[in-house]
Every structure is written in C-alpha cells, then in structure tokens.
Amino acid sequence: MSENLTLDDLAVPLRALRLLTTDFGHLPAPEVHVSTTYPERLELAFHDDLPGFEMWREALGVAPDAVTYREQSDGRTRVLRASVEHAGAVVRLTAYADIVTLVLVGGAA
C-alpha cells in the first residue's frame, strides 16, 4: 500500500494527532509514529511509562479489558497494546516496560 503515497494520503492520522494535541496536550508525550504502510493508523508508544499509557487509555475511553498483554525478549519486556478509533484514524497505544524479577539471596523470601 505504501507505493506512491503522498503526504495528503496520511491526512487522517495527522489530523487525529493534531486533535489529540489540542484535546490532550497536558498528557505525557508519547513516541509518535505515522507510516505509509498503515496510512490510517496513528501509533503512540510509551517506553518504560506504564502510567503514561494508562492516562492515554483512560483519556481515549479504552476499556481496561480491551488492553492486550504479551511478553517479548525472552520474558524480560512486557507489552501492553490497545486500539481505538479517533477522528477517523485507528489510534494504537503501545507500552513497553521491563519485567522486574526478584532475586532471592540465601533462600530468604
């Protein structure tokens, strides 16, 4: 789909970004991604910022049970993901966070 697209072809996610900036400019800044591969999608990513992800999830009205959870990097990184339509675009929220493992010393818990 990305062949011969113009910037005008990305107008939907860019418009959504502009409206999100206006409506939710007080929320934590995510990493923003718009791609010619998915010209109707706006991706907002949060690295080591689960509270930021949650603030955006609530602001966009995404139900907690609509969030998917998986792990990557051999179980060292948790990934939360949710999508919602906003201003005609699919807004995809993604959060990445390290999984903290407890190391027991001397067998004590």
Side-chain angles (χ1 to χ4, degrees):
M1 174 93 187
S2 64
E3 190 173 321
N4 299 320
L5 290 182
T6 66
L7 191 57
D8 283 340
D9 294 318
L10 300 177
V12 171
L14 293 173
R15 182 180 321 110
L17 179 60
R18 186 183 76 225
L19 292 172
L20 290 173
T21 301
T22 300
D23 295 340
F24 304 115
H26 61 283
L27 293 179
E31 178 180 304
V32 176
H33 184 79
V34 176
S35 169
T36 56
T37 304
Y38 301 103
E40 300 297 318
R41 184 187 298 170
L42 171 64
E43 296 186 37
L44 306 178
F46 302 85
H47 297 269
D48 294 319
D49 186 9
L50 295 179
F53 173 90
E54 283 299 309
M55 291 171 76
W56 276 95
R57 181 196 60 75
E58 279 188 25
L60 292 172
V62 177
D65 62 350
V67 176
T68 62
Y69 174 86
R70 67 183 180 88
E71 295 175 2
Q72 66 184 34
S73 302
D74 293 327
R76 293 182 313 231
T77 304
R78 73 183 74 204
V79 181
L80 302 177
R81 184 165 283 150
S83 294
V84 64
E85 186 173 324
H86 186 80
V90 174
V91 178
R92 184 183 212 178
L93 301 174
T94 306
Y96 303 94
D98 290 337
I99 295 175
V100 178
T101 56
L102 297 176
V103 177
L104 300 179
V105 178

